[in-house]
Each structure stands twice: as structure tokens, then as C-alpha cells.
Amino acid sequence: MKQATIYSIAQALEVSASTVSRAFSRPDLVKPEVRERVLATARELGYAPNRAARGLATGRTGLYGLLVPDVTNPFFPPLIRAIQQAAARVDAGVLLVDSEGSGAAETALVSRIKAQVDGLLVASPRLATAKLKEALGAVPSVIINRAAQGLATVVCDNTAALREAATHLHDLGHRRFALMRGPSASWAAGRRAHAIRSWAQEAGVSLAELGHYEAVFVDGRRAAAQIVESGATAVFAFDDLMAAGVIAGLSDLGETVPRDRSIIGCDDVLLARTMTPGLTTVTAPLEELGRQSVLALHGLLEQRPVPNVQLQGTLTVRGTTGPPP
Amino acid sequence: MKQATIYSIAQALEVSASTVSRAFSRPDLVKPEVRERVLATARELGYAPNRAARGLATGRTGLYGLLVPDVTNPFFPPLIRAIQQAAARVDAGVLLVDSEGSGAAETALVSRIKAQVDGLLVASPRLATAKLKEALGAVPSVIINRAAQGLATVVCDNTAALREAATHLHDLGHRRFALMRGPSASWAAGRRAHAIRSWAQEAGVSLAELGHYEAVFVDGRRAAAQIVESGATAVFAFDDLMAAGVIAGLSDLGETVPRDRSIIGCDDVLLARTMTPGLTTVTAPLEELGRQSVLALHGLLEQRPVPNVQLQGTLTVRGTTGPPP
DNA sequence: ATGAAAGCGCTAACAG
DNA sequence: CTGTTAGCGCTTTCAT
């Protein structure tokens, strides 16, 4: 059966194609009774509007591009899911692209897809803000999890939760802290480091700063030796993945967590919940991040002014204990 | 600046629009010299072909729909990444949709997107084959990780690797085995169960069959008690996520893995590599699965006959030890 | 509230 | 090898 068009429906009902079109895109402009009949026969004929045709006529594709640096980093899947859901709610599809962690690739990918989407959601971009802006050009975009002057952003602030975590460890008796810094180009890494550094200063406790490391498991594992060397009993890993790496690395060296040291992760990805024992970490509101990003992009597309949004991470305590005697 | 079209280029070069069009879509049909000039001014004018227009004219969208039951299940991200890469190589984008594990949603989503894609990649569908086929209708589709009579499929067979794992445990001295069955509707679960069951029969060892369970962490955790009860020292979890759950559950009961029991996972998702100690599991060739699926779909779209492909999982030994004395 | 008609930007015969 | 001519299916003035 040939795919139905507005014309087949129009013909069947002896109305004009415009009426059928309006029944779908501007229902209020068509007499309720007629509208009903149109919708009914549309259903019968299995009609679905042709997106390409609509796109050609309106200049809208109904697609949001989503650019992530690494789908396999457990931080992203929940975000992707939330975005996909929220997008569906405004009748948009999600075109997913993975930049494989390369800033250069980001530029290429952005220019490659910006022609086929209505707007772009760029998660944790590696690119410097200036280059990013240049690549984005005039495509409506929202930047997720990164500050970017002059661009719409949706970020998560973990400062309060990290300070709370630090206090928690301090209360348990820890006095020697270490901070494993994330990638030097990462905005989030900078923020997190700053939060912990300033807490340590205020609290007057010693803080060994290690890294920068890449935010991957093996880097955490390799870093274990430096942690032991630092003498810290309480460790802030850049994220959960690194925390898992540290735990593995410490185990390689014969230590057990949290018996010998306490590790704090960040993001509360699946990993953190499925480890045994569980990982104390800062839970990122990924659902909300996704939802807000889509809302922002949608607003942008409707020419509405969109405020930058800042969400808060929250502390989730799981395995932490006091330092060994 | 208004977006350039083939006409702006044609005008600037005093050639016809068709020539410009051909320079892009059928370069071989245009005199090299002219082609060069077209491409050059296209670049100058920042021209990018309008996908919607092309789509309207050709009936092709350049999009592959990818339907997964749960993006946040760590099995899928590596698959998604591989698919996205492979699709990019044939100049197709990936429209990602998550069915949230619901078979009913699958039907709805399929009909929702089948109009806007050239073909569909359906991963681990929950829907019965008949319903699936009905929902898919005439859209070229390939089914990933599931057998489906009359549909193109790309699957991973773990039989050999699971038998090898079983032998490995047997060699270590284990004599009492348990099998945690996955979802009863899952094709993969059935296959895995069959593989282990028949091995146990041949080897003449006792096998306690537990479940069916949902393939999630908490179900594994809850199942720990039944494992203890079964007396098995060697346990096949349906997948890595369940394995992690079992380990957590056993820990709740005061046991340690692998000291007290050995657990085998399946799939070798990130989780399995980042656990301490590591998880012995069957590694799924996710990259290849993705690549082959895209190749198959691409073939289908070119009217080529595509064979069903079957890949092999491989055993990866990490933490397993013999049974406690 | 509805219809007629003119495109949106591109591709695909068909001629030359 | 290149130009001409029709559309692809939908939206959108402009009339009625």
C-alpha cells in the first residue's frame, strides 16, 4: 500500500489538501466536525505526515542534535535518556553523535549535523568556548555541564554537596585529605577542585592535590600509589569512574576500601550504586539536567529568552567510615 | 547571511542547478573541472545540502532509527557508539529512541519513527516476533541480539564461551552450580540457560536453576539468599549487572566473592571491568555487533540480500577462584 | 472556515 | 557532459 498523503485524505473526504494539512498543524483553524473526520480517515489510511516535506516547507526538521564526548561514560546514558524523553514530549527526535572525546572532532561533527537539526545540545564540550561558538555559528544551542559566556547553559553545581562530603569525612575523624584532579581542560574538574580546596583551607586541614588525570578507570588505578604516598586517608576522586579505579589500584597494593581509606566519587553513576560496598558520592540530577536542557533549547527555538540554569548535586553517603586507627 | 542553495551556486557559476546538484550526489557525471569549481564556491558560500529537500526528492532521510530497551543498561552504550560510528561511515545519522523496557512502547515508538527514517535497528526487542513484524511493516529493519524468523538479524552466541566458563570453574574444583535465569521473554536468557543446562548434564554436575529474574542489579541482590540456600559455590548470573547484584547481596549476608563463591557474569560491560575484584564474564563483541548491524541495514537499503550474522562471545577470566575448603 | 496556488531545495528523467 | 522540466508532500499567503 502506497503511503497516504494529505491528498489521499483530501480526496477521500472531498475537502482540500489545505484543510487536511491544517487539521494537523493548526487544528484550531478547522471546524471541529471536519477535523474529526480528517483525523479519523487519516488513522484508517495509516497516514503519517512526511517529516521531510514538512521540514522543507517550514524549515524545521523536528530533530535536536545531541553531542556527547563519550556515550560509554556512564554519566551520559541517564542524561541521554532524559533528553530523549523530554524531546519526545515536544515532538522532537534526538540525533545522537559521539565525539569520542576529541575537541577537534567536535568542530567537524557540529558542522556536519547543524544543517539537519533545529538545534543542538552539547554536553560537556572539550572545545574552548570561542572555538565552540565559532563552530556553532547561528544554530540555536544549549551547552550542558559547562559555563560558556554568550551561550545558553545548563549546569550542575556540586560545591555545596562536596563541602558537605568533606565535612562528613572530617566528622568521621579524617584529617589528611587528597584531591584527584580531573582533566585540566574540564570545566567541571576546575569547579570541583575549587570547592574542595577552599573547604580545606577554611577547615584548616591538609590537602594533597594530585593529577591532573584523565577521567577514566585506569588512570584512577594507576594513581593509587600516589595516594598511598600522600598519606591521605580521605580521597576526593574527580568522578565515580576514577574512584572505582582508585579502589582497584589500592586493592592491587593490598589495601581495602573503606577499611584503609575512604574514597568519595562524583556523579553517582550506575557504577557507584552497584559497587560492593557502595560508593559515597555526589548525586547529579541527570534527569533534571536533561529536561532543563531540552526546555531551554525549545525556548530558544520559540525565540523566548532562556535563563541559564544551575542545578545542585546532592551528597549520597554509602560506604564511608572513619580512618584506620 | 541567507543559507546558500544549489541555485545560488548555479547562478554564481552560470551553470544549471542540476549540474550543481550532480556535483554533489553523482560527482562522476560532471566534468572534473566544473565539479571542482562548484565544490569550491560551495565551500566559499558555506553551502550545505538541505537534507529535508533531498529527502523529499529521493524518499531517503539519511537517518537510521535505533531502538533500545534501556540506554542506561551498560550493555547498550558501546553498541550505540559502534552503530553511530558505522552509520556515519555510510553517511547516515542515528535517531535514538529508548523504549524504557516496555514492549508496548516499542510498538508505539516504531510507528512513530518509521516515517522519518530509512531503516530501523532494533536492539534486544521485548516484543514477540509476530507483533514486532507487524509494527515494523515494510520498513527495512535489522534485529539485534534476538532471533526473528523472516527478519534480518545480528546476534551474539555465547554458548561456547559459557561452556568454557563452566569447565573453568569445574577445573577449579567447583561441583555445585547455580544458574540465575534472566527474563523469561528474553531470547538471550533462553540461549544462555540452555547452554549451561546442557553442559551441566553432560558434565554430570548438579545445577540449581533460579529465577526468572529481571536483569537488574536489585534483582540480583535479592536473589543472594536463594543462592546461599541452593548450596552452589559456582553461580552463573544472567548478566554482569545481576552478577554485581548477587555480589552485593552475598555481602549483605556476610559473604565475600570470590572467597566464598565464584560468580560468572555475561557481556563484560564496563561494570565488570571496574569492579574490585574484577568479574569473570563472557565478553560480547559489541563493536562488531554494531558494525555488522549497520552493514546489514545498509545492505537491505541497497536491495542486497543480507545473511543473518552470528558473532561469538569469548570468556574473560578475572576474579574466579576455587570453592572454599 | 475553506480552497487555490505558489513555493521550500533538491533530484531525476528526458533531451540535447 | 549539461540544461530543462517536473515533481517529492507539506505549509502558507491570499482570496473567497
Side-chain angles (χ1 to χ4, degrees):
Chain A
M1 172 190 69
K2 224 173 157 326
Q3 178 55 40
T5 71
I6 48 171
Y7 291 103
S8 24
I9 309 190
Q11 205 164 12
L13 261 57
E14 308 202 291
V15 297
S16 81
S18 328
T19 303
V20 178
S21 169
R22 284 193 274 255
F24 285 97
S25 31
R26 324 279 310 271
D28 47 306
L29 293 187
V30 86
K31 199 198 311 187
E33 184 207 316
V34 181
R35 191 198 313 151
E36 286 314 317
R37 288 173 51 217
V38 171
L39 265 33
T41 60
R43 205 166 311 116
E44 277 173 37
L45 272 51
Y47 167 79
N50 178 323
R51 294 291 198 134
R54 176 177 292 183
L56 186 53
T58 59
R60 288 275 180 101
T61 62
L63 253 35
Y64 292 174
L66 171 55
L67 181 58
V68 298
D70 178 10
V71 211
T72 66
N73 180 321
F75 179 82
F76 294 103
L79 181 67
I80 294 173
R81 166 184 270 208
I83 287 175
Q84 198 257 294
Q85 270 177 48
R89 215 162 292 132
V90 296
D91 204 38
V94 172
L95 186 61
L96 181 69
V97 186
D98 187 320
S99 67
E100 316 263 322
S102 145
E106 279 178 7
T107 324
L109 290 171
V110 165
S111 31
R112 205 179 161 298
I113 61 168
K114 71 180 170 187
Q116 42 185 324
V117 299
D118 292 339
L120 238 31
L121 297 162
V122 187
S124 311
R126 305 308 213 226
L127 225 44
T129 301
K131 301 226 173 213
L132 188 58
K133 257 167 146 166
E134 188 190 327
L136 292 172
V139 209
S141 315
V142 0
I143 312 302
I144 304 174
N145 220 22
R146 161 96 104 85
Q149 273 298 335
L151 290 169
T153 59
V154 176
V155 302
C156 175
D157 179 42
N158 295 316
T159 307
L162 284 171
R163 293 178 64 97
E164 196 183 335
T167 305
H168 164 71
L169 290 171
H170 193 262
D171 290 349
L172 286 171
H174 291 275
R175 288 299 175 269
R176 307 193 58 182
F177 287 70
L179 163 61
M180 306 179 58
R181 287 177 302 205
S184 55
S186 158
W187 175 82
R191 298 272 299 198
R192 292 175 194 183
H194 177 76
I196 292 157
R197 193 178 297 134
S198 64
W199 173 85
Q201 226 150 47
E202 292 168 31
V205 311
S206 97
L207 178 71
E209 297 204 18
L210 277 26
H212 303 273
Y213 304 103
E214 277 311 296
V216 293
F217 179 77
V218 290
D219 269 43
R221 187 166 205 159
R222 284 200 211 100
Q226 301 173 50
I227 287 173
V228 172
E229 198 180 333
S230 78
T233 61
V235 181
F236 282 90
F238 166 64
D239 69 2
D240 295 336
L241 216 47
M242 289 212 73
V246 169
I247 292 170
L250 289 173
S251 161
D252 295 341
L253 302 174
E255 294 199 0
T256 300
V257 172
R259 193 196 61 197
D260 302 313
R261 272 170 237 279
S262 278
I263 316 289
I264 304 286
C266 199
D267 296 338
D268 196 10
V269 300
L270 181 64
L271 194 53
R273 309 171 190 215
T274 59
M275 289 185 354
T276 300
L279 182 67
T280 294
T281 188
V282 172
T283 303
L286 259 19
E287 299 263 319
E288 192 59 12
L289 251 184
R291 237 174 51 80
Q292 293 288 349
S293 315
V294 169
L295 252 42
L297 183 52
H298 188 241
L300 241 37
L301 292 171
E302 311 256 86
Q303 327 272 16
R304 259 180 278 132
V306 314
N308 287 342
V309 352
Q310 182 173 93
L311 273 24
Q312 299 291 326
T314 54
L315 178 63
T316 299
V317 175
R318 291 207 182 90
T320 31
T321 64
Chain B
M1 172 191 68
K2 221 170 160 325
Q3 178 55 42
T5 72
I6 48 171
Y7 291 104
S8 24
I9 308 190
Q11 206 165 9
L13 262 55
E14 310 203 290
V15 297
S16 83
S18 328
T19 302
V20 178
S21 168
R22 284 193 275 255
F24 285 96
S25 32
R26 323 277 310 270
D28 46 306
L29 293 187
V30 157
K31 199 199 308 186
E33 186 207 313
V34 181
R35 190 199 313 150
E36 286 314 317
R37 289 172 51 216
V38 171
L39 264 34
T41 60
R43 206 167 309 119
E44 278 172 37
L45 273 52
Y47 167 79
N50 178 322
R51 294 291 199 135
R54 176 178 291 183
L56 186 52
T58 59
R60 289 277 180 101
T61 62
L63 254 35
Y64 291 174
L66 172 56
L67 182 58
V68 299
D70 178 9
V71 211
T72 67
N73 180 321
F75 179 81
F76 294 102
L79 182 67
I80 294 173
R81 165 185 271 207
I83 287 175
Q84 197 257 293
Q85 270 176 48
R89 215 163 291 132
V90 296
D91 203 38
V94 172
L95 187 61
L96 181 70
V97 187
D98 187 319
S99 67
E100 318 261 323
S102 145
E106 278 179 7
T107 324
L109 290 171
V110 165
S111 31
R112 204 179 159 299
I113 61 168
K114 70 179 170 188
Q116 42 186 325
V117 299
D118 293 339
L120 239 31
L121 297 161
V122 187
S124 311
R126 306 308 213 223
L127 225 45
T129 301
K131 301 226 173 213
L132 188 58
K133 258 167 144 165
E134 188 189 327
L136 291 173
V139 209
S141 315
V142 0
I143 312 303
I144 304 174
N145 219 22
R146 162 95 106 83
Q149 273 297 333
L151 289 169
T153 58
V154 176
V155 302
C156 174
D157 179 40
N158 295 316
T159 307
L162 284 170
R163 293 178 64 97
E164 196 182 334
T167 305
H168 164 72
L169 291 171
H170 193 262
D171 289 349
L172 286 172
H174 291 276
R175 288 299 176 269
R176 308 193 57 182
F177 287 70
L179 163 62
M180 306 179 59
R181 287 177 302 205
S184 56
S186 158
W187 176 82
R191 297 274 296 198
R192 292 174 193 184
H194 178 76
I196 292 156
R197 192 179 298 133
S198 63
W199 172 86
Q201 227 151 46
E202 291 168 32
V205 310
S206 98
L207 177 71
E209 297 204 18
L210 277 25
H212 304 272
Y213 304 103
E214 277 313 296
V216 293
F217 180 78
V218 290
D219 269 43
R221 186 167 207 159
R222 283 202 211 98
Q226 300 172 51
I227 287 173
V228 171
E229 199 180 333
S230 77
T233 61
V235 181
F236 282 89
F238 165 63
D239 70 3
D240 295 335
L241 216 48
M242 289 211 73
V246 170
I247 291 170
L250 288 174
S251 162
D252 295 341
L253 302 175
E255 293 199 2
T256 301
V257 173
R259 194 194 60 197
D260 301 313
R261 271 171 238 278
S262 279
I263 316 290
I264 304 286
C266 199
D267 296 339
D268 196 10
V269 300
L270 181 64
L271 193 54
R273 309 172 191 214
T274 60
M275 290 185 352
T276 300
L279 182 67
T280 294
T281 188
V282 173
T283 303
L286 260 18
E287 300 262 320
E288 192 59 12
L289 250 185
R291 238 174 52 80
Q292 294 288 348
S293 315
V294 169
L295 251 43
L297 182 51
H298 189 242
L300 241 37
L301 292 171
E302 312 256 84
Q303 327 271 17
R304 259 181 277 134
V306 315
N308 287 343
V309 353
Q310 182 174 93
L311 273 23
Q312 299 292 324
T314 53
L315 179 62
T316 299
V317 175
R318 290 208 182 91
T320 31
T321 65

